[in-house]
């Protein structure tokens, strides 16, 4: 039965998943509950509100003890000290039992948006729009202030030993040495916002939630990604571990709280919460000793302006929750929990294998043979290609499914910069060289060894050995491998004659560090969507490469009619909507399998073949370098009518051509590709200018006569001014190169 401190709408008593009971509803809040904290004794619960009020409630009765007017904006950060006698909000200390203001700290000019006490209670950390500050609680002295670019910090957490402070700000997770303020690690999240951080009770794992819609589990010592928990379909606002370390809770803008079993990292319950206008509300707190979880709530039929004005206390039955996990694991594909199907969790990891080497050395031929088991002649290309290597699929001792994807990267000098960015997360590198090259057979291998991460396993491959005699001896190659730290050694191969490929496959199996690779724990539905998309991506009969979420949803439904999947998973996928499709696709995009294409209109499309965009971008850059005036520019109109004759567009439909060009140009202009680019107008002509592709050199003369004449006005970034002026002058046909 629900306990409450005043009558509630009947709709509050909604269906709960097994093991979760809505035990108490605290009502009477004047505005939305933005943050929550429970004191260490478990007797008080503090709620920070949108109107700057902090309420303190008696936990057992829900009685309001007193209200504090912080005279500020929404209270998104609130914390009790370890004694429970002091409450911190926004850089201010309050006496918990009376609400009396004890001290205000000098700190961020716009206030601390997130607050955390260290385990001893001697230090208080505050983060806001201006940075992170550490204060001595007793004296009020500021011990530390972060330097560098100001970030919008949204969450702070000390590890259980008080040695490390984790901070989530903008798209970065930072780890600081708590005693000195020394920055230990900075973890970028590729322009995706991060909102919540929490250490597990052992201090070994740091959980991170954010725009990526997944929960990332990091090694608390070095920041290494250990596991990704997939299941939410929108941003994760906050994460919290239960005090006993058995559960992780994550609250998302998809209107759910997920409970994860910290032993198997599987979803054991999904709690429905009311929609909060897609705003960040970090209101989630575990009771320090009882199996209770507090969060902001409201009746499901509450008007929008009244949502989130309650505090809901959920009682958790661990035995039932973990029994639900067991039922889920033993079920074929899913189990019903609280009227909602929770699909079986699939644990997998994907190895990224990169093929690198000079152009024309045989990378594509080797990759095709490994992927398809047949030989095919391939012309040299500046693009990228992608294959799944089924022969490398295996299973780890912990049950994790291991899959491998082979990336063929072009070797032309003009594209080494682009492709060098694609190898930083490689799990294995196959470095190809021409053993018959008498001038410098290992020159390109030396280049790629400098680009590859030092700890990336590598295998040196003498390719196309059927086409000539090697100029290096076996001993010379073995010595080179020892000197360069190529643990996988070298091997001679021929894709044409199928020579050395069986041995190469075995070496690849042993070289990939499967046990050290991060795991993705995902719903079986997400895994099915991934498998479908990868199958569609590799299909030789595929006619469409760019989809909306609706089109992809329809394609999956058609696939269901053609393939025999189990009845339960078919029912689940049939019920999956476009939001779930997009969530799964975004996860695939973060792994490089597909790409979210942002158009100039702001709309998004799903590009099944991300390497197609890379290849087109490379061709555009090449064309800019070939500009007949040496100006490093291309004309947009000629891109859209394909006057340049780009091969990447030849087999695409007219609709896909236009979308791909639009998305590629937008990526250039928004600096999401490797080359600097900006747009300029020369009369009626729209130009894309690549300053790095200009072939102009400064004249080595000091006798040139200059005079004042026409003036030109340019707008945009300062670093683009010179390049823009040069191109505009060049397109007037009045100025020519003198040297």
């Amino acid at each position: 039965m629900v306990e409450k401190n005043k009558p509630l709408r009947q709709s509050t008593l909604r269906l709960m998943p097994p093991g979760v009971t809505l035990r108490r509803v605290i009502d009477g809040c004047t505005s939305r509950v933005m943050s929550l904290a429970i004191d260490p004794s478990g007797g008080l619960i503090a709620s920070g509100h949108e109107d700057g009020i902090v309420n303190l409630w008696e936990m057992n009765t829900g009685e309001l003890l007193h209200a504090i007017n912080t005279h500020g904006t929404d209270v998104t950060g609130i914390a009790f000290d370890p004694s429970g006698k002091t409450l911190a909000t926004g850089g201010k200390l309050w006496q918990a039992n009376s609400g009396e203001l004890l001290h205000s700290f000098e700190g961020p000019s716009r206030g601390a948006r997130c607050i955390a006490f260290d385990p001893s209670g001697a230090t208080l950390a505050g983060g806001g729009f201006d940075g992170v500050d550490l204060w001595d609680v007793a004296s009020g002295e500021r011990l530390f202030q972060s330097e560098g670019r100001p970030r919008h910090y949204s969450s702070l957490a000390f590890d259980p030993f008080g040695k490390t402070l984790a901070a989530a700000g903008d798209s970065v997770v930072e780890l600081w040495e708590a005693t000195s303020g020394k920055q230990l690690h900075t973890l970028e999240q590729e322009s995706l916002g991060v909102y919540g951080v929490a250490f597990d009770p052992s201090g070994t794992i740091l959980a991170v939630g954010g725009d990526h819609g997944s929960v990332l589990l990091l090694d608390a010592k070095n920041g290494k990604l250990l596991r990704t928990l997939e299941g939410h379909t929108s941003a994760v606002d906050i994460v919290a571990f239960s005090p006993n370390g058995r559960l992780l809770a994550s609250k998302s803008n998809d209107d759910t709280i997920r409970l994860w079993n910290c032993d198997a990292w599987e979803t054991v319950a999904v709690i429905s919460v009311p929609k909060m206008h897609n705003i960040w509300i970090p209101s989630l707190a575990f009771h320090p000793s009882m199996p209770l979880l507090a969060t902001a709530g409201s009746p499901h039929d509450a008007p929008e302006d009244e949502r989130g004005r309650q505090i809901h206390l959920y009682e958790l039955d661990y035995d039932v929750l973990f029994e639900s996990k067991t039922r889920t694991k033993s079920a074929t594909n899913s189990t019903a929990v609280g009227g909602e199907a929770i699909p079986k969790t699939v644990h997998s990891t994907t190895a990224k294998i990169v093929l690198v080497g000079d152009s024309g050395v045989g990378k594509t031929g080797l990759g095709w043979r490994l992927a398809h088991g047949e030989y095919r002649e391939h012309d040299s290309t500046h693009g990228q290609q992608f294959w799944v290597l089924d022969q490398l699929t295996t299973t780890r001792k912990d049950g994790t499914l291991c899959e491998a994807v082979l990336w063929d990267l072009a070797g032309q000098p003009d594209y080494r910069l682009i492709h060098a960015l694609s190898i930083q997360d490689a799990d294995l590198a196959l470095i190809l060289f021409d053993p018959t090259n008498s001038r410098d057979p290992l020159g390109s291998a030396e280049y790629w060894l400098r680009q590859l991460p030092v700890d990336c396993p590598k295998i040196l491959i003498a390719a196309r050995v059927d086409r000539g005699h090697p100029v290096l001896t076996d001993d010379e190659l073995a010595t080179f491998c020892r000197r360069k730290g190529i643990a996988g050694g070298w091997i001679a191969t021929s894709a044409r004659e199928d020579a050395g490929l069986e041995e190469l496959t075995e070496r690849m199996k042993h070289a990939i560090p499967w046990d050290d690779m991060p795991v993705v724990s995902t719903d079986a539905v997400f895994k099915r969507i991934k498998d479908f998309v990868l199958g569609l991506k590799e299909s030789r009969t595929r006619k469409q490469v760019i989809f909306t979420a609706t089109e992809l949803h329809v394609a999956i439904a058609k696939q269901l009619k053609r393939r025999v999947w189990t009845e339960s998973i078919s029912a689940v996928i049939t019920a999956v909507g476009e939001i779930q499709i997009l969530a799964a696709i975004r996860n695939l995009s973060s792994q490089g399998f597909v790409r979210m294409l942002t158009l100039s209109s702001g709309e998004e499309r799903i590009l099944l073949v991300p390497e197609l965009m890379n290849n087109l971008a490379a061709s555009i850059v090449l064309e800019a370098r070939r500009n007949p005036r040496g100006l490093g520019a291309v004309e947009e109109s000629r891109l859209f009518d394909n006057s340049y004759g780009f091969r990447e567009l030849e087999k695409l439909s007219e609709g896909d051509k236009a979308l791909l060009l639009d998305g590629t140009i937008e990526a250039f202009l928004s600096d999401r590709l490797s080359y600097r680019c900006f747009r300029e107008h020369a009369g009626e002509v729209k130009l894309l200018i690549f300053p790095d592709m200009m072939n102009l050199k400064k004249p080595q003369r000091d006798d040139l006569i200059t005079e004042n004449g026409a003036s030109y006005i340019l707008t945009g970034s300062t670093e683009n001014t010179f390049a823009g002026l040069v191109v505009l002058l060049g397109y007037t046909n009045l100025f020519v190169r003198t040297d």
Side-chain angles (χ1 to χ4, degrees), residues 229-494:
L229 305 179
E230 295 180 350
H232 285 297
T233 59
S234 188
V236 177
D237 289 340
I238 186 172
V239 290
F241 283 96
S242 62
N244 59 14
R246 297 186 68 187
L247 289 176
L248 169 66
S250 55
K251 184 179 180 183
S252 169
N253 274 334
D254 65 5
D255 312 332
T256 66
I257 295 172
R258 280 185 175 254
L259 300 180
W260 309 83
N261 169 359
C262 295
D263 291 329
W265 297 115
E266 298 177 343
T267 300
V268 295
V270 179
I271 305 171
S272 176
V273 293
K275 194 173 184 63
M276 302 291 185
H277 308 282
N278 284 325
I279 62 174
W280 179 65
I281 301 184
S283 52
L284 194 69
F286 276 101
H287 192 281
S289 57
M290 299 176 65
L292 294 174
L293 178 66
T295 188
S298 59
H300 270 200
D301 63 350
E304 286 192 5
D305 60 348
E306 293 184 17
R307 292 179 185 174
R309 294 190 179 192
Q310 297 176 341
I311 301 171
H312 289 187
L313 289 174
Y314 296 100
E315 185 175 0
L316 309 177
D317 188 322
Y318 283 84
D319 291 336
V320 174
L321 288 172
F322 280 66
E323 181 185 353
S324 296
K325 184 271 297 183
T326 303
R327 290 201 308 270
T328 300
K329 198 169 184 178
S330 61
T332 303
N333 284 291
S334 65
T335 185
V337 179
E340 180 176 349
I342 297 182
K344 173 185 174 183
T345 300
V346 177
H347 307 281
S348 63
T349 186
T350 302
K352 181 177 182 178
I353 307 172
V354 295
L355 276 168
V356 296
D358 272 349
S359 174
V361 77
K363 297 186 301 298
T364 303
L366 177 62
W368 185 272
R369 182 80 193 220
L370 289 171
H372 300 286
E374 62 182 24
Y375 178 73
R376 175 184 290 186
E377 285 284 355
H378 291 85
D379 295 332
S380 177
T381 174
H382 57 251
Q384 297 181 4
Q385 298 190 71
F386 161 110
W387 300 288
V388 177
L389 298 185
D390 292 330
Q391 64 269 41
L392 296 184
T393 300
T394 185
T395 302
R396 281 187 351 191
K397 292 180 181 179
D398 62 1
T400 299
L401 176 66
C402 301
E403 301 171 304
V405 176
L406 182 65
W407 295 84
D408 170 24
L409 305 180
Q412 286 93 337
D414 279 336
Y415 304 103
R416 284 182 171 181
L417 175 60
I418 290 178
H419 300 321
L421 299 176
S422 302
I423 65 178
Q424 297 308 308
D425 58 349
D427 300 297
L428 173 63
L430 307 182
I431 306 173
L432 275 66
F433 73 98
D434 180 0
T436 66
N437 182 344
S438 58
R439 177 175 296 180
D440 188 13
L442 295 173
S444 67
E446 295 264 14
Y447 169 83
W448 289 108
L449 284 169
R450 291 192 299 270
Q451 303 301 317
L452 286 160
V454 175
D455 57 353
C456 174
K458 307 169 186 72
I459 299 175
L460 184 66
I461 298 177
R464 293 181 168 181
V465 294
D466 57 294
R467 302 201 176 189
H469 296 286
V471 298
L472 297 174
T473 66
D474 293 0
D475 287 343
E476 287 174 321
L477 290 172
T479 299
F480 178 82
C481 289
R482 286 194 301 271
R483 182 163 53 87
K484 296 296 183 178
I486 303 177
W490 75 278
I491 184 172
T493 66
S494 168

Side-chain angles (χ1 to χ4, degrees), residues 177-193:
E177 190 176 81
T179 54
S180 66
K182 176 183 177 183
Q183 194 169 63
L184 302 175
H185 300 285
T186 300
L187 313 167
E188 297 280 352
Q189 292 300 308
E190 297 182 357
S191 301
L192 295 173

Side-chain angles (χ1 to χ4, degrees), residues 103 123 215 235 370 394 450 458 480-481 516 525 614 640 655:
H103 190 78
T123 304
V215 179
L370 289 171
T394 185
R450 291 192 299 270
K458 307 169 186 72
F480 178 82
C481 289
D516 297 330
V525 171
N614 294 336
F640 281 96

Side-chain angles (χ1 to χ4, degrees), residues 167-246:
D170 295 337
S171 60
V172 173
V173 177
E174 297 168 334
L175 296 178
W176 308 79
E177 190 176 81
T179 54
S180 66
K182 176 183 177 183
Q183 194 169 63
L184 302 175
H185 300 285
T186 300
L187 313 167
E188 297 280 352
Q189 292 300 308
E190 297 182 357
S191 301
L192 295 173
V194 288
Y195 305 132
V197 289
F199 285 97
D200 79 321
S202 71
T204 59
I205 294 175
L206 179 69
V208 178
D211 275 338
H212 36 71
S214 304
V215 179
L216 308 181
L217 302 181
L218 310 179
D219 186 307
K221 291 183 178 180
N222 55 30
K224 178 184 176 182
L225 178 63
L226 301 175
R227 187 180 295 266
T228 301
L229 305 179
E230 295 180 350
H232 285 297
T233 59
S234 188
V236 177
D237 289 340
I238 186 172
V239 290
F241 283 96
S242 62
N244 59 14
R246 297 186 68 187

